[in-house]
Amino acid sequence: MTDSLVTDTSDRDERHLARMLRKKAVIDERIANSPNECGLLLVLTGNGKGKSSSAFGMLARAMGHGMQCGVVQFIKGRNSTGEELFLRRFPEQVRFHVMGEGFTWETQDRQRDIAAAEAAWAVSRQLLSDPSIGLVVLDELNIALKHGYLDLDQVLSDLQARPPMQHVVVTGRGAKPEMIELADTVTEMGMIKHAFQAGIKAQKGVEL
């Protein structure tokens, strides 16, 4: 290694160290100024893949900390998914409710979809009123609200009335502006590319 290259590497390392020290100071200050803990409402929306996957990743994280959890699936339901098959192994820690009857283009019956969504929300309200449950996943709730299957004001009111330390994750495309406004954290999944566009069907372990 030439002397000039050694000097350049050394300079880059020193600049990197200086940047990281400044960044650490900023982050440490923000952490020190954020001492509070409370139940969060997280919304995962957008057209890209990964909304439910992210929600169930958080659920696994909560389970790892010994938290009691609940799941209500609003649209999915005709076929078992990998997450359902796995989480049903832990009935003492996860209350898993599959309340949907399949995607709306498959059911083709709005009144039946409304009845299913209302039944799902009744179960959701039970979970949202139980302070022993630390995290609730309301999978595809945004879809039910988007199609007008549930009263938005009632849903928002019930979410606000939940126990103060309970976390809720809401998934689904087309999140209502009011849901986004109420949420503490909102992530929009953007689709850049999807295998289905190339004629590859949904597969176990990836989508199912």
Side-chain angles (χ1 to χ4, degrees):
M1 186 178 292
T2 65
D3 290 343
S4 61
L5 185 56
V6 170
T7 300
D8 181 61
T9 300
S10 178
D11 289 344
R12 290 185 64 185
D13 290 345
E14 289 180 5
R15 291 195 299 272
H16 175 80
L17 175 60
R19 286 197 305 273
M20 293 304 104
L21 287 171
R22 291 193 298 271
K23 185 172 184 178
K24 176 174 170 52
V26 170
I27 292 175
D28 285 350
E29 181 179 5
R30 293 184 65 182
I31 292 173
N33 291 329
S34 304
N36 300 325
E37 291 186 353
C38 64
L40 299 177
L41 174 60
L42 303 99
V43 173
L44 306 173
T45 191
N47 294 330
K49 172 179 165 49
K51 297 177 288 294
S52 295
S53 301
S54 177
F56 285 110
M58 281 185 271
L59 187 139
R61 182 179 295 155
M63 291 176 64
H65 287 290
M67 296 169 63
Q68 293 291 312
C69 302
V71 177
V72 179
Q73 292 192 301
F74 281 80
I75 304 298
K76 300 165 186 172
R78 181 160 294 182
N79 299 307
S80 294
T81 59
E83 57 264 26
E84 178 191 354
L85 295 172
F86 176 75
L87 291 169
R88 287 201 185 280
R89 302 176 189 176
F90 306 92
E92 74 288 348
Q93 195 174 2
V94 182
R95 305 181 198 178
F96 204 109
H97 302 275
V98 180
M99 306 293 292
E101 296 190 352
F103 294 106
T104 53
W105 60 84
E106 293 175 337
T107 61
Q108 301 179 9
D109 186 334
R110 187 170 185 273
Q111 291 306 314
R112 184 173 172 178
D113 290 339
I114 289 173
E118 289 176 344
W121 190 248
V123 173
S124 301
R125 294 185 73 182
Q126 294 176 11
L127 298 176
L128 293 171
S129 64
D130 188 343
S132 71
I133 300 179
L135 185 141
V136 178
V137 173
L138 302 175
D139 194 29
E140 304 288 7
L141 172 59
N142 286 333
I143 300 296
L145 292 171
K146 176 182 177 181
H147 288 296
Y149 296 164
L150 296 170
D151 182 84
L152 176 61
D153 290 337
Q154 182 65 62
V155 168
L156 297 177
S157 177
D158 291 339
L159 287 171
Q160 289 179 295
R162 73 187 191 277
M165 291 304 297
Q166 187 183 80
H167 305 301
V168 178
V169 186
V170 173
T171 76
R173 300 182 182 201
K176 291 285 189 178
E178 295 88 345
M179 179 70 75
I180 292 173
E181 177 65 25
L182 182 63
D184 299 288
T185 298
V186 179
T187 299
E188 184 175 17
M189 308 289 189
M191 186 176 71
I192 297 175
K193 191 176 183 180
H194 198 293
F196 185 67
Q197 296 172 324
I200 301 172
K201 69 178 182 180
Q203 299 178 75
K204 292 180 180 179
V206 182
E207 288 89 12
L208 306 175

